[in-house]
């Protein structure tokens, strides 16, 4: 059995050697050498775990609305920041992070440790990590379809009418290229188009991004 060969590349700038690292933080996101998001998710988990302990320690002294505000201050920013980029990583790692989010929700709502969290998320008007991912992708697609982003991003997508010329009900939908692998289906080029096509035309055609975000978030909280 032939093992993997690790390629060692030497980089220099002005004859100064640049050391190789297994991961590096770029704009607050940790990128690993194997292009997975495990390191980033593990870092988030450690920060959230510490902050959950803080909220748990004072939960009996504060009302729910204040605890909810603490959640949006101490926990939600870590789950929300660049979620669209890294939340398509390892499902195991993401699910572990979701378990921590559910634990936080139970503490904020003063519920039992084993309480069903779906109604708690709705009651507190808090999106799950998976719903935040959908919201960010949907807002990205809204910007794409309303020419609010550089043409580089717009060129990633095209509507069905640009691929075939016969009229169908899906002519104005984004064209989805066929893909055989799960990894490819998780890319923004595919998942973004699938999500956008699934939205009602009345939501897709609202005049402003803020209105779109508000309506789609309400839709996510409804179901």
């Amino acid at each position: 059995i032939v093992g993997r060969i690790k390629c060692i590349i030497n980089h220099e700038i002005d004859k100064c050697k640049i050391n190789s690292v297994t991961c590096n933080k770029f704009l607050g996101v940790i990128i690993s050498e194997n292009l997975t998001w495990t390191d980033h998710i593990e870092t988030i988990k450690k920060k959230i775990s510490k902050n959950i302990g803080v909220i748990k320690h004072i939960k009996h002294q504060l009302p729910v609305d204040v605890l909810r505000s603490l959640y949006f201050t101490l926990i939600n920013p870590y789950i929300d920041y660049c979620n669209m980029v890294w939340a398509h990583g390892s499902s195991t790692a993401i699910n572990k992070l979701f378990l921590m989010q559910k634990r936080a929700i139970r503490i904020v709502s003063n519920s039992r440790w084993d309480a069903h969290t779906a109604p708690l998320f709705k009651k507190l008007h808090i999106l799950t990590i998976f719903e935040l991912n959908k919201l960010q992708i949907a807002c990205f697609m809204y910007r794409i379809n309303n020419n609010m982003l550089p043409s580089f991003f717009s060129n990633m997508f095209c509507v069905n009418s640009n691929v075939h010329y016969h009229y169908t009900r899906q002519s104005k939908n984004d064209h989805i290229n066929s893909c055989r692998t799960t990894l490819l289906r998780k890319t923004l080029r595919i998942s973004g188009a699938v999500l956008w096509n699934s939205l009602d035309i009345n939501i897709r055609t609202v005049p402003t991004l803020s209105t779109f975000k508000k309506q789609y978030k309400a839709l996510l909280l409804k179901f």
Side-chain angles (χ1 to χ4, degrees):
I1 300 175
V2 179
R4 293 183 178 180
I5 300 175
K6 187 172 182 179
C7 182
I8 300 177
I9 302 176
N10 295 318
H11 296 285
E12 291 185 357
I13 297 179
D14 293 335
K15 296 183 179 181
C16 294
K17 184 179 179 180
I18 307 300
N19 295 325
S20 177
V21 295
T22 57
C23 63
N24 188 53
K25 181 181 285 188
F26 180 72
L27 297 177
V29 178
I30 299 176
I31 304 174
S32 61
E33 62 179 351
N34 55 3
L35 299 181
T36 66
W37 302 107
T38 304
D39 292 325
H40 181 75
I41 294 172
E42 286 299 319
T43 301
I44 290 176
K45 285 171 57 181
K46 291 177 182 178
K47 292 180 178 180
I48 288 178
S49 178
K50 179 180 178 180
N51 291 341
I52 286 177
V54 172
I55 296 176
K56 183 179 180 180
H57 183 71
I58 60 176
K59 72 172 186 176
H60 296 298
Q61 305 171 32
L62 300 171
V64 173
D65 59 330
V66 175
L67 293 173
R68 182 178 180 275
S69 295
L70 286 175
Y71 170 88
F72 279 103
T73 302
L74 300 176
I75 296 176
N76 196 72
Y78 295 111
I79 299 175
D80 184 59
Y81 182 70
C82 288
N83 181 292
M84 183 179 73
V85 175
W86 55 264
H88 281 304
S90 168
S91 59
T92 301
I94 295 295
N95 284 330
K96 288 181 179 179
L97 188 56
F98 181 46
L99 289 176
M100 296 188 70
Q101 187 187 20
K102 293 200 292 185
R103 182 187 174 201
I105 293 300
R106 293 187 180 103
I107 293 173
V108 168
S109 60
N110 281 311
S111 302
R112 287 173 49 88
W113 66 271
D114 59 347
H116 186 44
T117 54
L120 299 180
F121 276 103
K122 309 304 179 186
K123 181 179 179 181
L124 295 170
H125 284 77
I126 294 176
L127 297 179
T128 68
I129 185 173
F130 305 107
E131 292 168 340
L132 284 171
N133 184 257
K134 287 184 177 181
L135 180 61
Q136 289 192 12
I137 292 177
C139 289
F140 175 81
M141 295 303 298
Y142 180 91
R143 292 186 179 98
I144 288 290
N145 284 273
N146 288 274
N147 300 314
M148 299 168 66
L149 291 176
S151 58
F152 168 81
F153 295 102
S154 300
N155 293 335
M156 294 171 57
F157 306 91
C158 67
V159 295
N160 286 326
S161 59
N162 290 339
V163 179
H164 54 76
Y165 297 101
H166 54 278
Y167 179 80
T168 65
R169 286 181 297 176
Q170 286 78 36
S171 296
K172 294 184 179 180
N173 283 351
D174 284 351
H175 180 70
I176 301 173
N177 295 315
S178 60
C179 53
R180 297 182 179 180
T181 65
T182 302
L183 184 61
L184 186 58
R185 285 194 293 270
K186 289 183 178 181
T187 61
L188 189 58
R189 187 187 299 269
I190 303 299
S191 63
V194 170
L195 177 58
W196 183 253
N197 291 346
S198 70
L199 299 181
D200 186 274
I201 190 65
N202 292 322
I203 295 181
R204 285 159 51 172
T205 55
V206 295
T208 64
L209 175 61
S210 59
T211 302
F212 172 82
K213 185 175 182 179
K214 181 179 180 180
Q215 289 189 12
Y216 187 53
K217 181 177 179 180
L219 184 65
L220 289 171
L221 289 170
K222 182 178 179 181
F223 297 102

